[in-house]
Amino acid sequence: MHELKTPLGVATINLEMLELKNKNTHRIKSALKQMKITYEDVEFFIKHSYKNFPKSLYSKKNLSIL
């Protein structure tokens, strides 16, 4: 997730450094914030949701059908 969060952080910092206050920068900041929240949700799901699938689902026989 680091590969996804770092560019968002860089973009956010750059926007803050520009100190522009207009409709477009507000939209960009809102989109970056929403993306950060989404990535955090995905990261949480990946770290805390483990599914145990029956071996029959991923056996060589079933995979050969794909």
Side-chain angles (χ1 to χ4, degrees):
M1 295 313 292
H2 172 74
E3 296 82 8
L4 299 173
K5 287 183 178 180
T6 301
L8 293 177
V10 170
T12 303
I13 290 170
N14 284 331
L15 275 175
E16 290 173 4
M17 289 176 60
L18 289 173
E19 296 180 357
L20 296 175
K21 305 281 185 200
N22 62 40
K23 182 179 175 181
N24 293 329
T25 57
H26 178 70
R27 286 182 176 180
I28 294 169
K29 284 181 183 180
S30 295
L32 288 170
K33 184 177 179 181
Q34 185 60 46
M35 290 173 68
K36 180 181 176 198
I37 291 169
T38 302
Y39 288 144
E40 287 172 351
D41 289 347
V42 169
E43 182 178 27
F44 178 85
F45 180 75
I46 290 169
K47 287 182 178 179
H48 295 93
S49 293
Y50 295 99
K51 302 280 183 189
N52 291 323
F53 294 103
K55 287 187 177 184
S56 61
L57 288 177
Y58 57 90
S59 68
K60 288 183 180 181
K61 181 180 178 183
N62 286 336
L63 291 176
S64 65
I65 296 170
L66 302 174

